[in-house]
Amino acid sequence: GLALFGSLLFAALPWLPPLRRARAASVDLDNCNGCTRCADDCPYAAIDMGPRTDGAPFDRQAVVDPGLCVSCGICVGACPTSMPFRRASDLIPGIDLPDMPLRELRDRVDREGASLAGKSRIIVFGCDHGVELHGLAEAHVAPLGIPCIGMLPPSFIDYVLSRDLADGVVLAGCSEGECHNRLGIRWTQERIARTRDPRLRKRVPLERIEMVWASPVEGWTLRKRLADFRDRLERIAPGASKTDREKAAE
């Protein structure tokens, strides 16, 4: 019976509807200056730098190959125009994901941050392919899923802490050495360590950032590290959080 079922399923494959694939990253030339960071960071060589086509005073522009792009968003995290602080104009970076625009991520951050209450409020940015975020939400914890942890620009951490949307930020991704998108963990670690562009700004206190790398079945690891992180935040001397935010605002 199993053999028959398997044979029928195999025979039916050509008639099954195709899996929906996320749309490839798109380039906005009004905000692309041809810096090459997205091409340098793409794990799949899906971005090339071609000659400028809009007459802007830059030599090159990013060109995405939809056949190679997996919509991980690492290029978005690499773009220097991915700045959530921008309010004078719409938040449209030089390269973005059509199915998860960066402005929508900022809107989610604003909403979740406004809803947090209590001491040691934490926003968790988690990779969709890493540890499961379901069930983490509490009055003081807001989990936000993104395609890859490498999609998150370091400026978002600065934004969360300097705008007092949370007291700490957790970055949760795949198990170390098993990154679904190859370089998401490595690039994130180097950006936070301020050794790779875009670098985390020096004004951001590292003690308010926690990084957790765990597989989808290691939810206990994230919960344990989250509890430990919250304890550390609570042990920071009273008033320290305010001082950090005042320094960040300078």
Side-chain angles (χ1 to χ4, degrees):
L2 289 174
L4 177 61
F5 176 77
S7 299
L8 291 174
L9 181 61
F10 183 77
L13 285 178
W15 288 273
L16 293 176
L19 294 175
R20 183 183 179 276
R21 184 177 178 181
R23 289 179 290 174
S26 61
V27 177
D28 183 275
L29 291 182
D30 288 340
N31 292 287
C32 174
N33 63 7
C35 71
T36 77
R37 290 181 188 173
C38 58
D40 291 341
D41 282 12
C42 179
Y44 305 99
I47 304 175
D48 195 9
M49 302 306 297
R52 202 75 189 188
T53 61
D54 63 346
F58 303 109
D59 293 333
R60 294 174 291 178
Q61 67 184 51
V63 180
V64 179
D65 184 342
L68 296 177
C69 179
V70 302
S71 307
C72 63
I74 290 177
C75 55
V76 181
C79 184
T81 63
S82 297
M83 294 292 293
F85 294 96
R86 188 172 12 162
R87 296 290 181 179
S89 61
D90 198 5
L91 178 53
I92 302 176
I95 191 165
D96 207 355
L97 294 184
D99 293 333
M100 184 178 284
L102 202 64
R103 64 178 179 275
E104 291 187 5
L105 179 59
R106 183 182 64 183
D107 290 345
R108 290 165 58 198
V109 169
D110 288 338
R111 288 195 303 270
E112 295 296 337
S115 69
L116 291 175
K119 296 190 297 182
S120 301
R121 301 158 298 149
I122 298 172
I123 288 181
V124 181
F125 293 99
C127 171
D128 289 342
H129 303 283
V131 64
E132 177 61 56
L133 300 181
H134 180 71
L136 287 181
E138 297 185 50
H140 60 280
V141 178
L144 295 172
I146 52 180
C148 174
I149 197 61
M151 176 189 175
L152 188 74
S155 56
F156 265 73
I157 301 173
D158 187 4
Y159 181 79
V160 167
L161 297 176
S162 64
R163 295 297 174 92
D164 194 24
L165 295 172
D167 300 297
V169 173
V170 172
L171 307 179
C174 306
S175 295
E176 197 157 15
E178 299 180 5
C179 182
H180 183 84
N181 290 305
R182 302 181 189 175
L183 296 171
I185 291 176
R186 179 179 171 183
W187 292 165
T188 298
Q189 290 173 324
E190 293 183 8
R191 292 168 185 171
I192 300 305
R194 302 173 177 127
T195 60
R196 187 178 188 85
D197 287 329
R199 294 172 170 82
L200 180 71
R201 297 179 72 172
K202 291 184 179 180
R203 72 181 187 180
V204 181
L206 293 179
E207 64 269 21
R208 295 189 177 277
I209 304 172
E210 179 77 352
M211 292 184 282
V212 182
W213 316 123
S215 71
V217 297
E218 294 180 298
W220 60 271
T221 299
L222 177 56
R223 288 190 289 272
K224 175 65 167 57
R225 296 280 295 279
L226 190 59
D228 292 344
F229 182 48
R230 191 177 184 220
D231 288 343
R232 295 203 307 273
L233 289 175
E234 290 182 350
R235 288 197 296 271
I236 294 177
S241 177
K242 180 179 179 182
T243 300
D244 289 341
R245 291 194 297 271
E246 289 174 346
K247 288 181 180 179
E250 292 177 354

